[in-house]
Amino acid sequence: MKIEKIAKSGFEEILVCEDQASGLHAIIAVHNTRLGPALGGIRMHPYATTADALRDVTLLAQAMTYKSAASDLKLGGGKAVILGDPAADKSPERLYAMGRFINEFKGRYIAAKDLGITTEDLIAVAKETIYMTGLPETMGGSGDPSPWTAEGIFAGIRACFQFKLKQLNLAGVTVAIQGIGHVGLALARRLHSEGVKLIVSDTNPDLLKEVAEKLDAKAVPPDEIYDMPCEVFSPCAMGGIINDNTIKRLQCSIIAGGANNQLADMEKHDQLLRDQGILYAPDYIINAGGVINIYVKDILKEEDAMPWIRKISGHLLDVFERSAQSGKGVNFEADKLTQARLERASIRRDSDS
Ligand code: NAD
């Protein structure tokens, strides 16, 4: 096992891990543990370079710090990435090696599932480490976080409607969902049951056809989703999709979806959305339902996460109000509030020690 430490300003610890025997190449980043152990999923992706993987893991780890802090969880932020193609480069030995690398953090990093990793993979990693969440309910774990993430987004969309359009009833409104995987599909089902008209897109044409038929939704090719007239655009696939090219095409009044790191340029696009009259629900607040479910069930060992997940509405309304008063973007106000919470935690910790 070869472990190399990387120093990066603002991060507590980053390890580049290589297991020559199995061929595992991974990076684990702990951004911040002021509020508690750093929780974040393991992502597997065929990154073109190690630098690309490092960029992704650090952005995602930082987003986890903000996500937990914004939802008032006693958790910090971390993330892990495995470099490789999930369809071709997985082996039990690589997953076991990943578990051993996680142990290097002695509980300061706690893993979960993310893109490219299945529940079976998680179980394999957990053979070597106890620092694992989101295991199946049959194994005493909190299960798949995706339906809970979708519940949080649903609550968040209602908060957006309440703030922007002064209504809570979603029947008859149109929501365009980009990506109908674990989160997007659960959200689509939830919205469909409330009488919402759906427009859906996905890069998987078979899935798109099946879901469109079942939920009476309009299916559009991936690139056309940005041009669809709708009340809500809900990004539930990749990050960086709110950018210079897409922002001028959007025909919605609200952006509220589950994807992480939706704004390509946090500052610029946050303000541009505000100037364009589009209400943006900061991704790390609205998509926190999954981590909340993990926290409540795996860490607190309580049974019902819904009372916590419903609080997402209040957290959003708070930052919308602050943005309306200051004239700054919603994401700016969310970051300011979250940073202040982290600062306070650090002052408390310093005075306790
Ligand atoms: P997933 O892999 O199950 O689903 C993603 C879907 O998006 C797939 O069906 C894929 O084919 C599709 N897709 C990919 N690129 C696309 C594109 N350009 N246009 C349209 N569709 C595209 O992943 P998921 O678990 O549903 O997560 C979705 C997003 O939400 C990710 O950004 C993830 O990081 C974030 N997220 C997930 C959770 C969770 O609980 N699963 C929690 C918080 C945030």
Side-chain angles (χ1 to χ4, degrees):
M1 281 184 18
K2 193 175 135 209
I3 295 178
E4 186 198 342
K5 269 192 184 196
I6 291 193
K8 184 170 167 64
S9 167
F11 282 75
E12 291 183 13
E13 197 169 0
I14 303 173
L15 299 185
V16 179
C17 312
E18 279 184 61
D19 180 58
Q20 292 91 339
S22 67
L24 175 77
H25 186 188
I27 308 177
I28 304 176
V30 166
H31 175 246
N32 189 299
T33 58
R34 282 179 206 168
L35 289 168
L39 189 134
I42 305 170
R43 176 172 291 197
M44 184 164 185
H45 185 76
Y47 296 101
T49 64
T50 306
D52 287 350
L54 182 63
R55 183 170 185 276
D56 203 30
V57 76
T58 48
L59 275 175
L60 289 163
Q62 185 167 357
M64 286 307 297
T65 299
Y66 278 62
K67 190 180 302 199
S68 287
S71 283
D72 257 337
L73 312 182
K74 297 275 174 278
L75 288 175
K79 202 85 184 182
V81 294
I82 298 178
L83 289 81
D85 180 352
D89 298 330
K90 265 182 209 161
S91 71
E93 289 69 29
R94 287 185 184 177
L95 295 167
Y96 301 152
M98 189 67 200
R100 293 193 291 276
F101 283 125
I102 290 169
N103 288 338
E104 293 290 320
F105 289 86
K106 298 184 170 54
R108 288 178 57 248
Y109 169 67
I110 302 177
K113 189 165 95 66
D114 195 47
L115 300 182
I117 293 291
T118 65
T119 301
E120 289 67 38
D121 300 335
L122 220 55
I123 295 170
V125 177
K127 282 196 195 308
E128 291 285 344
T129 184
I130 56 165
Y131 304 116
M132 177 62 75
T133 59
L135 287 167
E137 283 145 345
T138 48
M139 293 175 70
S142 60
D144 179 7
S146 315
W148 306 103
T149 303
E151 280 295 336
I153 301 166
F154 179 74
I157 289 177
R158 280 170 60 109
C160 292
F161 263 78
Q162 184 182 341
F163 186 79
K164 176 118 187 153
L165 306 169
K166 312 287 172 234
Q167 72 176 73
L168 274 173
N169 184 5
L170 298 183
V173 308
T174 301
V175 178
I177 305 180
Q178 178 182 50
I180 38 171
H182 287 85
V183 173
L185 180 56
L187 176 66
R189 287 203 181 107
R190 187 73 170 87
L191 291 168
H192 181 64
S193 73
E194 296 287 323
V196 169
K197 289 187 226 149
L198 296 171
I199 303 172
V200 289
S201 80
D202 201 285
T203 43
N204 177 339
D206 297 335
L207 177 70
L208 185 60
K209 189 166 177 284
E210 189 192 322
V211 171
E213 276 171 15
K214 267 196 193 137
L215 299 181
D216 198 17
K218 174 177 171 152
V220 296
D223 191 51
E224 288 179 21
I225 195 82
Y226 303 107
D227 306 312
M228 292 294 122
C230 57
E231 275 88 3
V232 183
F233 171 53
S234 184
C236 292
M238 302 301 287
I241 40 79
I242 308 291
N243 54 44
D244 289 345
N245 290 327
T246 59
I247 222 162
K248 49 185 183 241
R249 292 168 55 189
L250 293 174
Q251 300 198 44
C252 59
S253 51
I254 292 166
I255 298 176
N260 285 312
N261 301 328
Q262 290 169 26
L263 304 180
D265 181 321
M266 302 269 188
E267 242 173 83
K268 177 179 166 192
H269 297 130
D270 183 34
Q271 194 61 45
L272 259 179
L273 287 174
R274 196 191 138 72
D275 296 346
Q276 223 166 286
I278 297 177
L279 182 66
Y280 171 66
D283 44 21
Y284 64 84
I285 300 182
I286 195 169
N287 74 10
V291 74
I292 293 173
N293 188 59
I294 288 175
Y295 178 68
V296 172
K297 294 180 182 164
D298 282 330
I299 312 275
L300 298 182
K301 305 286 179 199
E302 290 176 13
E303 277 180 11
D304 188 6
M306 273 316 287
W308 288 71
I309 291 173
R310 285 192 204 100
K311 287 187 195 161
I312 286 175
S313 310
H315 297 144
L316 286 174
L317 289 170
D318 187 10
V319 291
F320 293 161
E321 200 54 61
R322 285 168 191 261
S323 161
Q325 277 172 21
S326 70
K328 304 270 188 197
V330 176
N331 207 66
F332 172 87
E333 292 297 341
D335 282 0
K336 204 166 110 184
L337 198 67
T338 310
Q339 278 154 5
R341 195 166 284 167
L342 288 164
E343 283 302 318
R344 281 198 298 276
S346 145
I347 292 165
R348 270 201 305 276
R349 194 167 74 173
D350 290 348
S351 62
D352 288 349
S353 58

